[in-house]
Amino acid sequence: MISSTFALLLCLFGAANAHFRLLYPLPRGNFVADLEPNFCGGYTEVTTNRTTFPLSGGFFSISTGHPGWTAGVLISTVENPNNFDNFSVNGVQQLAKPFARDEGAGTFCIPLNLTEAGIPGVQDGANVTIQVLFEGGDGNLYQCADLTLSAALTSPPADITCSNASATTSSSSPTATTSTGAALDLSHEASGFAVVLSFAGVIAAVL
Ligand SMILES: [Cu+2]
């Protein structure tokens, strides 16, 4: 009994410790591990400190302790998206970045070309919100960032670091860095699809 309780505590602690953080663009609020399974990581309302973000040529950066994860990015063109429905049009999720998988833990910088998906309303000057969906083995996790899109900005500011660092000495390479929708191999697409389905299940449960 004691050992199983201890194991459960260890598991909970480990899970809360791992999860993932959105490093850039800045998320809506401070990281709260327990709230990360919720919409926008627990931050329902839009913020006033929007990040001016390049319409094309952008990237996002995350860190995680989970060795093996899948992530994708949804976008909402609603002024104040405060529920999962705001990231869908006619019941279809607006994917700004297809799901991709990586087998390593650490810090990752992943290209995010927002014009690529051809989503209406994703244009110069638009106020949009991205929601990063992440699954690293302990359930679906979410972080949101409120943005103002800029066509004049062709890359994030130079002081924003875009680098990849493996948290372990294993040889697992951060493949997500060079992944594009077209470059993903079949296994990436298959796992991404599975995650889309499970996210859809969660969304259905929330609504
Ligand atoms: Cu976790």
Side-chain angles (χ1 to χ4, degrees), residues 12-20 31 33 36 64-66 134-139 141:
L12 288 173
F13 180 74
N17 238 1
H19 282 0
F20 89 102
F31 175 74
E36 205 168 31
T64 183
H66 284 291
F134 180 101
E135 209 289 317
D138 59 358
L141 304 170

Side-chain angles (χ1 to χ4, degrees), residues 66-79:
H66 284 291
W69 49 269
T70 303
V73 180
L74 298 180
I75 191 165
S76 174
T77 54
V78 174
E79 190 73 16

Side-chain angles (χ1 to χ4, degrees), residues 36-53:
E36 205 168 31
N38 300 324
F39 172 78
C40 284
Y43 292 92
T44 313
E45 299 305 314
V46 73
T47 56
T48 51
N49 57 335
R50 290 176 175 276
T51 299
T52 302
F53 195 83

Side-chain angles (χ1 to χ4, degrees), residues 85-151:
D85 214 23
N86 291 151
F87 289 82
S88 296
V89 168
N90 297 326
V92 178
Q93 289 180 320
Q94 295 196 119
L95 261 185
K97 179 75 182 182
F99 287 89
R101 181 164 180 83
D102 195 273
E103 301 304 332
T107 302
F108 299 88
C109 176
I110 303 167
L112 181 60
N113 187 343
L114 290 177
T115 53
E116 219 165 54
I119 293 167
V122 176
Q123 59 197 39
D124 187 34
N127 287 337
V128 303
T129 298
I130 57 167
Q131 180 158 217
V132 180
L133 284 63
F134 180 101
E135 209 289 317
D138 59 358
N140 300 334
L141 304 170
Y142 308 91
Q143 289 288 311
C144 287
D146 300 310
L147 313 176
T148 298
L149 301 181
S150 168

